[in-house]
Amino acid sequence: MQTRVRLEPWSAGDFWLLERKNEPAMTRFLGGPEPAAKLADRQRRYEALSAREPAAGRMFRIEWTPAGEDPGDGDGDGDGDGDGDGGRTESVGSVGFWEREWQGEPVYEAGWGILPEFQGYGLAAAALTELLAHVRAHGTRDSVHAFPGTDHPASNAVCRRAGFTYLGDVDFEYPPGVPHPSCDWRYRVGRPQGGLTPSG
């Protein structure tokens, strides 16, 4: 069954989630944990983004109500049949989009992260799909890009599952000033997708 999630705008009470996302296991493909001052600044930026007009972007907390099954539930789809009919709701990670310029074009960039204990349920792809629906409803730019590292097969698979098009490999700076071999994935808002096949 399809995994269902709910997106909630980022708030002051979500700093604990940002701290969890800053753990070594969550930042191994992102240059490592950030110092406390940068983390506090990130929290301020996330809150400010949620206070701006919807077309400027949003950060969201991902909420999931599991059905009580394990990821390895025997049906081979890896989603644990998380169909949203369970009892408790878990905060499992974050997803968001923001404005940027890319190759001379005004676009959106998307990013996400699922806490380790909730990985394997298809939550990242489900959250990214919900995010794209939000962009279609509120965004003003034609494209959403994502830049997972070429060494991060799971995030590249999330882009593929969410309907992004692979455009090729690029040197993308993250953290700023540090080029990292990355895949350029694009989602054309309201348009048919189509592109290359990743070589790696």
Side-chain angles (χ1 to χ4, degrees), residues 15 18 34-45 47:
F15 185 66
L18 199 56
E34 293 182 316
K38 284 192 174 182
L39 204 63
D41 181 64
R42 183 177 293 276
Q43 172 69 19
R44 286 190 291 269
R45 287 188 282 115
E47 290 184 49

Side-chain angles (χ1 to χ4, degrees), residues 5 7 24 28 134:
V5 298
L7 305 186
R28 58 178 293 212
H134 179 90

Side-chain angles (χ1 to χ4, degrees), residues 30-200:
L30 301 172
E34 293 182 316
K38 284 192 174 182
L39 204 63
D41 181 64
R42 183 177 293 276
Q43 172 69 19
R44 286 190 291 269
R45 287 188 282 115
Y46 283 8
E47 290 184 49
L49 192 59
S50 289
R52 293 184 61 191
E53 66 277 10
R58 279 287 186 277
M59 286 303 303
F60 295 99
R61 182 181 72 253
I62 304 169
E63 295 288 302
W64 177 49
T65 304
E69 301 288 340
D70 291 328
D73 58 4
D75 62 8
D77 62 7
D79 68 1
D81 281 343
D83 56 5
D85 59 3
R88 72 186 187 281
T89 297
E90 304 275 8
S91 297
V92 300
S94 67
V95 66
F97 73 106
W98 50 91
E99 297 172 323
R100 70 164 299 129
E101 297 286 322
W102 178 244
Q103 297 179 341
E105 179 186 1
V107 303
Y108 292 120
E109 181 184 345
W112 60 88
I114 302 294
L115 298 179
E117 62 267 33
F118 297 108
Q119 294 175 9
Y121 291 87
L123 299 175
L128 189 53
T129 299
E130 288 294 317
L131 182 79
L132 293 172
H134 179 90
V135 174
R136 286 194 299 272
H138 302 287
T140 56
R141 301 189 174 198
D142 290 337
S143 299
V144 182
H145 286 251
F147 301 96
T150 57
D151 56 351
H152 198 342
S155 280
N156 284 288
V158 167
C159 291
R160 188 179 298 107
R161 288 185 62 187
F164 280 66
T165 298
Y166 171 72
L167 300 183
D169 292 353
V170 295
D171 277 335
F172 186 76
E173 290 191 4
Y174 195 90
V178 181
H180 186 76
S182 301
C183 295
D184 183 5
W185 292 88
R186 180 185 66 198
Y187 185 91
R188 287 284 196 188
V189 181
R191 300 181 184 180
Q193 309 302 303
L196 307 175
T197 300
S199 56

